[in-house]
Amino acid sequence: MRIVMTVRELSELLGVSLDSIYSMVKENQIPHVRIRRRILFHREIIENWLRSSN
């Protein structure tokens, strides 16, 4: 299992559109990192974020 996820992988995992993920990133609603032009999500941080937002 990879440590980081792309926008597409995260949208599939969460069952939401790519536009939703990009909006959440733009509004800093979801933990992410930018490496040059790429937006990446650390799998463990996203899992903890999902657990804490319930």
Side-chain angles (χ1 to χ4, degrees):
M1 185 181 324
R2 288 180 32 208
I3 294 172
V4 295
M5 294 180 284
T6 64
V7 172
R8 182 172 302 280
E9 291 169 335
L10 184 59
S11 74
E12 290 173 3
L13 176 73
L14 298 180
V16 299
S17 69
L18 291 172
D19 288 341
S20 294
I21 300 296
Y22 284 118
S23 292
M24 293 172 77
V25 166
K26 184 178 180 180
E27 297 171 10
N28 286 321
Q29 295 177 343
I30 191 166
H32 65 281
V33 294
R34 284 186 186 266
I35 298 178
R36 297 197 178 213
R37 302 196 87 205
R38 295 189 71 195
I39 300 168
L40 299 172
F41 305 90
H42 190 279
R43 183 176 295 276
E44 185 176 336
I45 292 172
I46 292 298
E47 290 171 354
N48 290 336
W49 176 77
L50 286 169
R51 282 188 208 103
S52 69
S53 58
N54 288 332

